[in-house]
Amino acid sequence: MPFNQQWAQNAAVLVFVVSARSFVRPGTTEPVPARSHSFDAGAAWANLALQATKLGWHAHGMGGFDGEKARTELKVPDDYEVEIAVALGRRGDKSLLPESFHKGETPSGRRPLAETVFEGAFPAA
Ligand SMILES: Cc1cc2nc3c(=O)[nH]c(=O)nc-3n(C[C@H](O)[C@H](O)[C@H](O)COP(=O)(O)O)c2cc1C
C-alpha cells in the first residue's frame, strides 16, 4: 500500500508470511483443515521478530499490502493464506523517513492488562 511504501521501500528484505489451510496427519494420506493455521503463523512471525531483534536487525509486520497481488506475483497456491508482510533489515536513520513518520519513532505506551485479559465469559463492554 502507498502508506507502507513510504517507509518499507528501503528494507533489505520484504518477507511474506503464508500459512497452510490444511495438513496431512502423520499416518494418514488425506489433508484435513488446519483450524489454527493463522495462529501458528502468528507464532512463527513473533519468533522471527524476536530473533531479528536479538541479532541486531529489525522486523516490522504490516497488514497493509495488496494480498491478491502478493498471491499472484508469488504464485501462492489456493490452499495457503497470505497472512502478513514483514519488512526486515537494519534500522535506518529517522531522517530517511518522511517528516510525518518522525513522531511515531518512539516507544508507544501499553494497554493495561486488565483491558486485554479477563476471567470467564466476555465482558459486556
Ligand atoms: C494486524 C497488524 C497489522 C499491521 N499493519 C501495519 C501496516 O500495514 N503498516 C505499518 O506501518 N504497521 C503495521 N502494523 C504495526 C503497528 O502499527 C505497530 O507499529 C506495531 O504493532 C508495533 O507497535 P507497538 O510497539 O506500538 O505495539 C500492524 C500491526 C498489526 C498487529
Side-chain angles (χ1 to χ4, degrees), residues 1 7 22 48 62 98 118 123:
M1 299 280 176
W7 64 265
S22 65
L48 183 151
M62 52 186 140
F118 51 86

Side-chain angles (χ1 to χ4, degrees), residues 106-125:
T106 48
S108 56
R110 285 292 173 258
R111 191 166 57 185
L113 207 53
E115 288 179 21
T116 305
V117 182
F118 51 86
E119 188 178 349
F122 255 76

Side-chain angles (χ1 to χ4, degrees), residues 1 3-4 7 45 60-65 84 101 106-110:
M1 299 280 176
F3 172 81
N4 285 323
W7 64 265
W45 138 249
H60 187 141
M62 52 186 140
F65 66 95
I84 204 146
F101 284 79
T106 48
S108 56
R110 285 292 173 258

Side-chain angles (χ1 to χ4, degrees), residues 27-96:
T28 68
T29 52
E30 289 301 310
V32 292
R35 197 171 63 87
S36 63
H37 63 95
S38 289
F39 177 84
D40 300 341
W45 138 249
N47 280 287
L48 183 151
L50 288 172
Q51 186 66 29
T53 305
K54 189 178 177 200
L55 296 172
W57 293 70
H58 198 76
H60 187 141
M62 52 186 140
F65 66 95
D66 186 336
E68 276 316 305
K69 194 167 181 190
R71 178 177 292 285
T72 309
E73 295 286 326
L74 300 171
K75 300 183 171 48
V76 179
D78 285 347
D79 195 34
Y80 287 78
E81 183 74 38
V82 181
E83 300 281 358
I84 204 146
V86 180
L88 186 61
R90 299 275 178 209
R91 193 175 193 133
D93 192 84
K94 196 159 88 168
S95 63
L96 297 169

